[in-house]
Amino acid sequence: MNAAEIKVLSTHAVYEVLGELGPQFERTTGRRLSVGYDPANAIKRQIGEGAAFDVAIVTRAVIDNLAGQGKIAPDTCIDIARCGLGLSVRKGAPKPDIGTVEAFKRTLLAAQSVVRSKEGTSGPYFEKLLERLGIAEAMRGKIALGPSGRVAVLVAKGEAEMAVQQISELLPVTGTQFAGPFPPELQLYTVFSVGIGCACKDKESAQAFIDALTAPSAAPLFKTHGLEPILR
């Protein structure tokens, strides 16, 4: 591996952030980024199986797990942002009312189909939420499992009526429109964290990347893409 290349394994939640911040970092530092995107749990599995990496951007739960396994240096782990869940529909479709718990339930029950993530944090939570709302049985047969990454692509293709996922993963999908966040009483915030791999050979470059990602100047970029920055 080239010493000037930083291999990053990242959740899709910060795809747009890195898409803008990455080239700026490369121009400023002369270092090159190599970024691979997958759901956090898939990244945990890859790293557990020995995948090479310098920096991981995953959920706080996954980074704690990897630090416990001796894969990530605990003293390098920093929370960078959090993100809530939301719902999207096809572009041009009426925006459903999901502002209250009851309105949210009505909207789901009226839907023909709802796509959720298979491996991401939002998918399993949504399944449990349906049980909590008492509509799991009524929704059975309406729930589709999306591909790895942005599940709202199925809405854009007309293969599902609605998509539920983290807001930062819903906003960029062309052909859809964001209906809004989950009601506060039902909201789940996921914290995303970054850390350096214990096997990283160029920790100085890896730390420079983390410094750029967590700099106050990067905060507006996170906000633009549906994430709430956690400032140091």
Side-chain angles (χ1 to χ4, degrees):
M1 187 186 296
N2 188 325
E5 179 183 89
I6 306 164
K7 183 171 178 58
V8 181
L9 297 180
S10 174
T11 173
H12 294 91
V14 294
Y15 183 93
E16 277 71 29
V17 173
L18 295 188
E20 293 187 44
L21 185 142
Q24 295 171 13
F25 173 79
E26 291 178 329
R27 285 194 301 270
T28 303
T29 66
R31 297 175 170 104
R32 193 161 71 87
L33 294 174
S34 171
V35 187
Y37 296 96
D38 271 301
N41 286 326
I43 292 172
K44 179 175 74 171
R45 188 166 61 246
Q46 291 163 18
I47 291 175
E49 292 171 353
F53 75 103
D54 297 308
V55 175
I57 303 173
V58 288
T59 62
R60 169 46 75 171
V62 167
I63 216 159
D64 286 344
N65 179 282
L66 292 169
Q69 290 183 45
K71 301 290 187 180
I72 287 181
D75 61 344
T76 67
C77 298
I78 301 171
D79 295 337
I80 56 173
R82 74 171 193 168
C83 187
L85 303 180
L87 186 146
S88 282
V89 294
R90 198 169 188 183
K91 189 173 183 180
K95 277 192 180 181
D97 178 10
I98 57 171
T100 66
V101 173
E102 284 307 312
F104 186 78
K105 282 176 63 174
R106 284 195 302 272
T107 289
L108 292 180
L109 290 169
Q112 295 298 311
S113 57
V114 181
V115 61
R116 70 161 177 88
S117 66
K118 182 179 180 180
E119 280 201 281
T121 303
S122 59
Y125 173 79
F126 183 63
E127 285 296 325
K128 291 177 183 175
L129 182 60
L130 295 180
E131 294 176 10
R132 178 178 150 195
L133 293 173
I135 59 173
E137 191 58 40
M139 294 298 294
R140 201 176 305 280
K142 293 185 178 186
I143 306 299
L145 300 182
S148 175
R150 276 71 192 272
V151 301
V153 295
L154 295 188
V155 174
K157 292 177 181 178
E159 296 175 17
E161 185 181 346
M162 299 177 182
V164 293
Q165 202 169 26
Q166 285 158 349
I167 294 168
S168 64
E169 299 193 54
L170 293 174
L171 290 177
V173 180
T174 303
T176 67
Q177 58 181 341
F178 182 58
F182 281 23
E185 301 94 325
L186 307 179
Q187 187 58 270
L188 173 73
Y189 285 100
T190 299
V191 174
F192 295 98
S193 307
V194 62
I196 298 175
C198 291
C200 174
K201 292 181 171 61
D202 187 357
K203 289 185 168 58
E204 183 182 343
S205 291
Q207 187 59 54
F209 170 66
I210 290 178
D211 289 344
L213 191 64
T214 57
S217 58
L221 195 55
F222 282 91
K223 292 177 182 176
T224 296
H225 296 297
L227 293 145
E228 298 178 21
I230 298 173
L231 300 177
R232 287 189 284 175

